[in-house]
Amino acid sequence: ATVLGNEVMMGVHKNPGEVLARATELAQKAVVIDDSLAQAHVTLGFISIMHKRDFDKGIAEAERAVALEPNSADIVAMLAIFLTWGGHPEEAIPIFKKAMRLSPIPQPRWLFNMANAYRMMGQYEEAISICKRIIQKQPDQLYAHIHLAAAYMDAGREEEARAEAAEILRIDPKFSLENFAKATPRKDPAELARMVELLRKAGLK
C-alpha cells in the first residue's frame, strides 16, 4: 500500500484514484489483521492523506503508530511529516528532532520536510541550511532543490532561487508546477498555492 501511494506521488500511474482506492483497501486490511503493527497504521495514515486528503485521520494513525513503536525513527519522522502537511509545523519540529536523535543518519525526506516546516514558520535560514546539507551529500535530490528554491524566494534571495530552479530542471527537465501541486499533500490549499507561487517566481512553470 505504501509503495502504491509513493508511486502516485511520483506520478507513475495514469489513474491515481483507482490506485489509491486499492492502496486504502490493503492498508485497512493490514490494520484489521494486526492492530499492533505500527507500520500498518503509518501506511493507513499516509493513504488516508493521499487518497481522501484526511489529514486528521493521517495524523491520528501516525500517533497510534508512535505509541506502538516510540523508538522507531522512521515512524516518529512520519508523524512529523504528517503534522507538517497538516499545517502544524511548530508541533512537527520537535518530533523531527526526536527522530534524528533516534537515528544518527536521517533520511532526506525527513530533512526536506523539516526544512519546509521551518520555512512555513518563517525561519528561512534554517530551511536553507538543511536543504544545503542534503544537497551536499546528494546533489540530485530533487525535493531538496525544490524546498531550497522556495526558501530562497521567501528569504528575498531571488537570484539564488533562480539558480535552484535551473538545478530542478537539470534533474527533471519535465518538471511542472501543475504536476507538483497535484502530488503535494497540504491541508491548507493557500499554503500549497503560496509555495507554487514562490516556485513560479523562481522561474518554474
Side-chain angles (χ1 to χ4, degrees):
T2 302
V3 171
L4 292 173
N6 282 326
E7 287 177 347
V8 168
M9 285 191 76
M10 294 185 291
V12 171
H13 298 285
K14 292 182 179 179
N15 298 306
E18 293 179 12
V19 175
L20 287 171
R22 174 60 176 157
T24 301
E25 180 184 346
L26 292 171
Q28 288 172 336
K29 282 183 178 179
V31 170
V32 169
I33 291 169
D34 190 346
D35 187 59
S36 69
L37 288 174
Q39 187 58 54
H41 284 282
V42 165
T43 299
L44 181 57
F46 177 71
I47 298 302
S48 296
I49 290 172
M50 292 302 300
H51 187 206
K52 301 292 188 179
R53 289 303 195 256
D54 189 341
F55 292 86
D56 293 340
K57 170 74 169 173
I59 291 167
E61 290 292 343
E63 288 174 338
R64 169 69 173 148
V66 170
L68 289 166
E69 288 192 30
N71 294 320
S72 169
D74 192 52
I75 285 170
V76 170
M78 289 307 295
L79 172 57
I81 290 170
F82 292 175
L83 284 166
T84 303
W85 292 352
H88 306 287
E90 297 88 352
E91 295 177 43
I93 292 297
I95 299 175
F96 276 122
K97 290 180 178 179
K98 178 182 177 182
M100 291 173 195
R101 287 195 298 271
L102 291 168
S103 174
I105 306 175
Q107 297 181 23
R109 66 175 174 172
W110 307 357
L111 291 171
F112 61 68
N113 276 288
M114 186 180 189
N116 188 55
Y118 274 120
R119 185 191 60 78
M120 291 168 67
M121 294 164 58
Q123 297 184 34
Y124 309 132
E125 295 306 321
E126 287 283 357
I128 290 166
S129 176
I130 291 170
C131 290
K132 283 184 172 182
R133 187 172 14 147
I134 303 170
I135 293 166
Q136 186 175 22
K137 294 182 178 179
Q138 297 185 21
D140 292 341
Q141 196 350 290
L142 179 65
Y143 282 90
H145 287 285
I146 289 170
H147 288 289
L148 182 53
Y152 273 142
M153 282 302 303
D154 253 338
R157 296 164 64 173
E158 185 172 342
E159 185 176 343
E160 289 158 296
R162 289 187 173 277
E164 287 306 311
E167 284 294 290
I168 291 165
L169 293 174
R170 176 187 64 79
I171 297 164
D172 181 7
K174 294 182 179 180
F175 178 88
S176 80
L177 291 175
E178 180 181 0
N179 290 338
F180 172 76
K182 286 179 181 177
T184 301
R186 293 290 185 275
K187 184 175 183 178
D188 183 0
E191 168 58 30
L192 178 57
R194 185 173 181 279
M195 185 171 184
V196 169
E197 186 58 25
L198 289 171
L199 295 173
R200 193 184 311 280
K201 288 179 179 178
L204 295 165
K205 297 179 181 179

